[in-house]
Amino acid sequence: MRAEVGSRAELPHHAEVVVIGGGIVGASIAYHLAEAGVSDVVVVERGQVASGSSGKPIGGLRAQFSDPLNIALGARSLETYARFQSVTGIDISMERVGYLFLLREQADVTRFERSVAIQNDMGVSSRMISAAEAQRLCPYVRGESLLGAAFSPDDGHARPPAAAQGFLHAAQVRGVRVFEQTLVVDIKTDGARNIREVQTNRGAVRTSTVIVAAGAWSKSLGAMVGVDLAVEPLRRQLVLTRPLTPTPPRIPFTIDFATSLYFHNCDDGFLLGMSDPTQEYGFHTHYSDEWLPAFNDAARACAPGLVDLPIERGWAGLYEMTPDCNALIGQSDSVGRLLYAAGFSGHGFLQAPAAGEVIRDLYLGVPPFVDVTPLSADRFDGSPVQRELNVV
C-alpha cells in the first residue's frame, strides 16, 4: 500500500508541526506524533516518499551495537517492527533470521566480547560463537578463516519502503498531511529565534515547530537557522543477484567485520554489499560496479561461494554520516522548537521507530524512554566523543 500524498494539493497556510523528510525517520515521527494526538502535522518531502535511502530493497534490524544508547534504540525499534503489521496493517516482510558478525582478527573478537556483555546486560540475546557454529548457521562461511563470531537470533531484516509507507498511512488516518515534490528553501524565525515559517517551492507554512528528518540533506536545513547538523552524505552501493538454483537456504544477515562485506537472502537470491573506503563524501547516487572486484576479493577469504554470482541489478544510495557514526537526535538550544533526527550513519531504518518515539516525547515535553542527551547536535565542540564501533 502506498501512502496517499498531496503532491498536487495546495499547502496549508498553517500547521502545528512541519516534519521535513518523508523517509522512514520522518514517517515514524509523524506517526508517533499523530498517535499521541498531535494531528495538525505536515510532512514535506523534496522528492517522493521513501525515495532516498529508505527506498533500498532490504534493511537490517539489530540491537548488536557497542554503545548502550544504540543498543537501546535498536532493541526498542525491534519491538515496534515485530508488531508493525498488527498496528498498521502493512506487511514489511520482517525475517528474524539473526545477525552474524564474522570475526577474523583477535582485536575484533575482544571488542565484540565487550559489546556482547553490554548487550546481554540490557536484555539482548546475543552471544559469542565458534567458527564451526558460524559455518553451521551460514553454510557459505569459510570457517577456517575465522577466530569466532557474534550472533543475535532476534535480529534480521525487513523492507524499509513498506515500513515508511505503513507509518505514513497510519499517520494520515490520524490527520497528518503529506506533500511530495516539496522542497524547503528557507526556515524563518522571529526576533527571539523561535520558529515562525517554513518556505518551500510551493508556498509557505506558518508553524511554531520544525522537525528536521531529511537524512543526508539535513545539514543544509540546519544551516538555514544557524544550527550545525554535522551530517555528510556518503554513497553506499549494493547488488541483487538473479534467482539462484538451487534456492539458497535462509541464513542470518551475515557480515565480515574486517572488510564490511555483507550478504543475506533476497527472495530466491542474495543481496550483496560492502563499503568502499575510497568513496568520498558527496551527493553521488549513480550506481557503478568498480567496488565489485574488492567484494570478490573479500568473499574469497570468508565466503567463496559468493564470488562472481550473477547480478540482476545494482543500487546506490546515501548514508548520512556523522563524525562518530552516531545519530543526531534532540532539540536545538539556540532556536526555539527546532527538533532533529538525522545522521544515523546507516542505522536509520533500524532506529527509526525508537527515534520517532523520542522526538514525540521531546515535543510533548515528557522524558523519553532513553536519555538522548549524548546525541545532541552540539556534541562536536572539540570534546572527546564515543564512536560507535559496530558500523557497516
Side-chain angles (χ1 to χ4, degrees):
M1 177 182 293
R2 188 176 188 279
E4 295 180 2
V5 295
S7 57
R8 298 178 181 175
E10 185 177 344
L11 278 173
H13 297 298
H14 179 273
E16 184 176 349
V17 179
V18 174
V19 178
I20 305 176
I24 184 61
V25 176
S28 172
I29 292 168
Y31 166 76
H32 283 96
L33 285 171
E35 185 189 36
V38 186
S39 59
D40 187 16
V41 177
V42 165
V43 178
V44 292
E45 162 57 42
R46 70 194 310 272
Q48 291 183 319
V49 164
S51 61
S53 295
S54 299
K56 65 183 178 182
I58 294 181
L61 302 172
R62 63 179 165 107
Q64 277 184 289
F65 288 94
S66 63
D67 183 89
L69 183 46
N70 285 325
I71 295 169
L73 293 170
R76 184 78 160 205
S77 294
L78 276 167
E79 293 174 5
T80 299
Y81 283 131
R83 62 177 187 270
F84 195 88
Q85 185 168 5
S86 65
V87 172
T88 68
I90 303 299
D91 180 9
I92 60 172
S93 301
M94 183 175 179
E95 294 192 42
R96 303 191 85 162
V97 292
Y99 248 74
L100 179 65
F101 282 93
L102 308 177
L103 307 174
R104 295 190 285 127
E105 298 179 7
Q106 185 55 52
D108 292 335
V109 172
T110 302
R111 181 181 301 164
F112 269 80
E113 287 173 341
R114 289 195 296 264
S115 296
V116 165
I118 297 171
Q119 293 159 18
N120 292 168
D121 286 344
M122 297 180 65
V124 175
S125 59
S126 56
R127 64 181 188 271
M128 299 297 295
I129 63 174
S130 67
E133 187 174 357
Q135 193 165 16
R136 180 182 63 78
L137 289 168
C138 181
Y140 291 85
V141 169
R142 181 177 176 180
E144 61 267 26
S145 69
L146 299 180
L147 297 179
F151 177 65
S152 179
D154 293 332
D155 298 342
H157 51 74
R159 308 281 172 136
Q165 294 286 349
F167 270 138
L168 284 177
H169 177 73
Q172 288 174 299
V173 169
R174 293 164 172 82
V176 171
R177 290 165 288 179
V178 181
F179 296 86
E180 294 181 323
Q181 305 299 330
T182 306
L183 177 67
V184 174
V185 297
D186 204 359
I187 303 171
K188 295 295 186 181
T189 59
D190 61 21
R193 298 277 290 159
N194 294 312
I195 295 292
R196 179 172 60 86
E197 185 177 81
V198 174
Q199 296 182 343
T200 79
N201 61 330
R202 298 176 54 203
V205 182
R206 294 187 63 83
T207 185
S208 60
T209 301
V210 165
I211 302 174
V212 177
W217 291 267
S218 296
K219 184 174 184 176
S220 62
L221 292 162
M224 293 176 182
V225 289
V227 173
D228 184 15
L229 298 178
V231 177
E232 296 292 344
L234 183 67
R235 183 176 67 163
R236 288 293 178 91
Q237 302 187 94
L238 55 81
V239 294
L240 303 176
T241 72
R242 296 173 188 164
L244 302 176
T245 303
T247 301
R250 306 312 288 178
I251 61 170
F253 191 132
T254 304
I255 301 167
D256 178 48
F257 189 70
T259 62
S260 81
L261 174 151
Y262 64 89
F263 60 102
H264 51 76
N265 300 99
C266 182
D267 298 325
D268 291 333
F270 283 123
L271 181 150
L272 312 174
M274 190 174 77
S275 64
D276 180 358
T278 68
Q279 183 67 59
E280 297 181 352
Y281 290 123
F283 290 95
H284 313 298
T285 56
H286 62 283
Y287 173 78
S288 59
D289 60 7
E290 75 275 1
W291 62 281
L292 285 176
F295 176 92
N296 286 327
D297 287 344
R300 288 185 183 95
C302 67
L306 303 180
V307 175
D308 293 327
L309 288 178
I311 304 302
E312 183 171 82
R313 61 188 175 96
W315 181 91
L318 297 174
Y319 269 23
E320 39 176 319
M321 302 301 296
T322 65
D324 60 3
C325 298
N326 290 305
L328 311 177
I329 305 176
Q331 54 188 331
S332 173
D333 292 330
S334 60
V335 177
R337 296 273 78 183
L338 178 78
L339 294 88
Y340 49 83
F344 287 86
S345 303
H347 309 135
F349 175 52
L350 71 89
Q351 293 184 343
E357 284 190 57
V358 170
I359 292 296
R360 173 202 64 198
D361 291 344
L362 292 177
Y363 174 77
L364 295 174
V366 300
F369 78 94
V370 66
D371 180 12
V372 293
T373 302
L375 300 182
S376 171
D378 61 10
R379 68 182 181 267
F380 304 113
D381 58 0
S383 303
V385 293
Q386 182 67 42
R387 179 183 172 85
E388 172 55 51
L389 301 178
N390 296 4
V391 176
V392 180

